[in-house]
Structures are given as structure tokens and as C-alpha cells.
Amino acid sequence: MTTTTAPAPSAERFDWTGRTVLVTGAEGFIGSTLVDLLIERGARVRAFVHYKPYAEKGHLAHLIGDPRVETVAGDVRDAGRVTDAVAGCDTVFHLAALIGIPYSYDSPGAYVQTNVVGTENVAEACRRHAVRRLVHTSTSEVYGTARTAPIGEDHPLQPQSPYSASKIGADMVALSHWHAFELPVTVVRPFNTYGPRQSARAVIPTILAQLHAGAREIRLGSLTPTRDFTYVTDTARGFLALAACDRALGEVVNLGTGREIAVGDLARRLVEASGRDAEVVVDPARLRPSGSEVERLLSDNGRARAWAGWEPEVSLTDGLKRTSEWVADHPHLFAPARYQV
């Protein structure tokens, strides 16, 4: 179910040719997919990646030596480094964040430093250098369990984990720069993006990794929560469309399919997509703390459709199949897959 407003002409036709674009978190799952899409559309990409002394390039390894991509190592908590990276950029996509819910219970302060303070540093750097547009990445986790469905952008924010609390704080920092300083910012709120390159900390790749390793039993936490899963290229297309959409200035915009599926049903779909044979069972050790589990997420994507002409293109069936094939082709990234989902 989605808002029935007629779609606008797609903002995806925006011309990125020759524009210098900064992507923070560029080596990650969504970030690297966005980098690939920007290059395809003619942009010059400055990829801001987390510094590693062992020179690991993450999902940007295939772009090493490509003249269209400049890699800048740093940390969004370092205001000076961020300011230098933003200089000369037309558009900034801010995806760098400390992600994952389970670890946020153990180290909530780290989430505040990276997600909230890091966003402040990015927003201030964009203001200093007068960028054309800042696109800040939020998450559907900020909504908590749906009080009404589908979830529109005006749904109450519910910090049901330290992770979601830090992302709420980051969103407010970004929006405050629109209200206080007229910084041209849009907050993009993806719903459960999945696809190739996603790490085993997430439910879909960790299930697939177990299946392709020959597991006959898939152990999960609660099977009843529902999620709205969006394929990664659709999410990346949404980022580009909203970066070109003036109606979205100073606003929050959901990116989701408007369809939901329970985790248990998803697991069974993944068994089918993998071509394997396995049973799905509940593991009490994987259950989240009481009051922290988000029971339902279902997006209202009416703003993205009406304002930017965006709509998802990849069905869940096709997306799960593509993801299964990618996981099967990259077993070294998932051994051993011991993540809590």
C-alpha cells in the first residue's frame, strides 16, 4: 500500500556528467553501489573511506586505478579531514555510519560519536563549501515498531535501540542545518536495503551464507517481525533522484517498496532461492531484548514517487535470486557466518 499521488517526471534524468560528487562510506554496501551508478552517469567521484592501515578497499577494489574515482581515507569524526574532502564538490552523499543493532547495545557511545558527531562534521563542511546538495542517509529503524501502516515520514520516531537513537540524532542534526542555515539537505530514509555486497551481519546474507555452506537448519531470532525489503540498485537510484529533487529540500523521504514480508516467510523464500533444503527454527539466544524488537516496518513511498518520480524496479523474487547467486560466488566473505540477526 502506498500513497496514490500521481508520479512526477523522474528526477533520475538529472545530468551528472562532469560533476564532482563526494560519497562518504563509499566502500560499503550501498555506498559502493552508489559510486558505480554515479560513474555510469558521468560523475567524478571522491570516495571517502574509513582509514585502514592494511589498505583494504572494501567493495571499491574493482575501481583501483580508475581515473574517475579519487579515494580519500579518513574518519567522519575528524572535522578537518571531512572539510578537506568536501571542498570543490557539487553534491555530497553522506552514508558513513556505524551500523548494526546488536553491537549498539555494547557500545552506544561509539554510535553517537560516528553517527551524530560525524553528521555534524559533514553538514558543517557542506555549509562552509556551499555545496549544491547534501543527501543524508537515515534508516527506517528510527520509526520503531509501526503504530500505523504504511509508515509515512510523519510517523513518530521511536528510539528502540541505541543505533536507532543515534540515527534519529543524526537526522535532526542534518535537518537543523536546513532550518538554521538554509543548507540544501535532504534526508533519505531507506527501508531494509539488501543485495550483493551486503555483509553477513544482515538477515538475508547470513541466511544465504548458511544455506550455501550446507546448513540443514537455519536458526533465527523472532520470525514474526515484518520488513519492507528494497534491492540495493533501487535504493541507489533513489539517492540520485532525490539529489536532483528540489521539492525534497529540507524534507525526509522514504525509500521502500510498500510491501512487507515476515522474517520467517523471508527465510523460506531464501531457502527456495538458494535451491537448498533446510528447516527454519527459532534460537532463543538470538532474540532481541524486550522492548527493542521492531515488529513491523512497511513504507509509504508516496513522496519519492510523487516528488522525484522514483519507484522500485527489482522484485523481491528477482532480488533474492541475484543475492543468492552473489553469496554463492563469494564464500570467502561469509566464513564463518556467525552473526546475530
Side-chain angles (χ1 to χ4, degrees):
M1 179 178 180
T2 57
T3 301
T4 57
T5 308
S10 178
E12 291 189 74
R13 289 194 289 270
F14 184 78
D15 187 6
W16 291 97
T17 305
R19 295 178 183 269
T20 299
V21 179
L22 177 70
V23 179
T24 73
E27 63 188 330
F29 163 47
I30 300 175
S32 63
T33 304
L34 180 60
V35 169
D36 286 341
L37 193 55
L38 283 162
I39 289 172
E40 289 176 10
R41 300 194 179 188
R44 296 188 299 266
V45 178
R46 187 172 296 163
F48 193 85
V49 303
H50 193 260
Y51 171 75
K52 299 179 184 66
Y54 42 87
E56 169 62 47
K57 298 296 183 182
H59 296 303
L60 295 180
H62 64 293
L63 295 173
I64 293 175
D66 191 315
R68 299 169 296 180
V69 180
E70 174 192 1
T71 301
V72 177
D75 191 313
V76 292
R77 295 173 296 179
D78 182 342
R81 189 65 169 164
V82 171
T83 297
D84 291 343
V86 170
C89 290
D90 169 86
T91 305
V92 173
F93 293 96
H94 177 42
L95 288 85
L98 190 55
I99 60 175
I101 294 171
Y103 182 57
S104 75
Y105 303 136
D106 298 326
S107 189
Y111 283 74
V112 171
Q113 289 299 313
T114 298
N115 298 348
V116 182
V117 176
T119 298
E120 169 66 19
N121 290 338
V122 171
E124 276 297 297
C126 289
R127 183 163 76 100
R128 175 176 296 185
H129 291 294
V131 301
R132 181 193 63 83
R133 184 70 51 87
L134 167 62
V135 177
H136 165 72
T137 310
S138 181
T139 169
S140 57
E141 287 288 334
V142 302
Y143 293 125
T145 297
R147 296 187 185 183
T148 59
I151 296 173
E153 290 84 354
D154 58 354
H155 186 281
L157 303 180
Q158 303 179 96
Q160 290 183 221
S161 67
Y163 166 67
S164 63
S166 72
K167 293 298 289 183
I168 290 171
D171 294 354
M172 296 305 105
V173 165
L175 291 172
S176 75
H177 279 69
W178 162 258
H179 294 293
F181 309 117
E182 298 185 345
L183 178 70
V185 60
T186 295
V187 174
V188 177
R189 199 161 277 164
F191 276 67
N192 299 99
T193 301
Y194 74 100
R197 302 180 184 174
Q198 190 171 26
S199 76
R201 64 158 195 88
V203 63
I204 288 177
T206 198
I207 292 173
L208 288 171
Q210 294 174 64
L211 289 168
H212 288 298
R216 301 303 297 272
E217 189 177 81
I218 302 301
R219 304 181 68 82
L220 300 172
S222 178
L223 304 182
T224 58
T226 66
R227 296 292 184 266
D228 183 335
F229 289 99
T230 309
Y231 193 68
V232 63
T233 54
D234 284 335
T235 297
R237 288 177 39 251
F239 274 76
L240 295 190
L242 289 165
C245 176
D246 290 342
R247 180 66 182 84
L249 284 169
E251 300 284 358
V252 177
V253 182
N254 290 337
L255 289 178
T257 66
R259 300 180 179 88
E260 63 185 327
I261 184 171
V263 171
D265 293 334
L266 172 71
R268 287 180 276 273
R269 293 278 293 274
L270 288 166
V271 171
E272 180 181 351
S274 70
R276 305 284 178 157
D277 183 18
E279 180 184 4
V280 179
V281 299
V282 174
D283 180 356
R286 296 173 180 267
L287 295 171
R288 291 179 179 170
S290 176
S292 185
E293 179 66 80
V294 175
E295 294 294 339
R296 189 182 189 193
L297 288 175
L298 172 64
S299 73
D300 180 340
N301 59 18
R303 285 187 180 182
R305 288 177 180 271
W307 295 357
W310 174 88
E311 59 182 315
E313 294 179 346
V314 180
S315 70
L316 184 62
T317 297
D318 288 345
L320 294 181
K321 183 66 173 176
R322 296 180 196 179
T323 307
S324 177
E325 292 170 352
W326 185 86
V327 171
D329 289 340
H330 297 81
H332 61 288
L333 298 179
F334 301 95
R338 295 176 181 168
Y339 293 79
Q340 181 170 313
V341 294

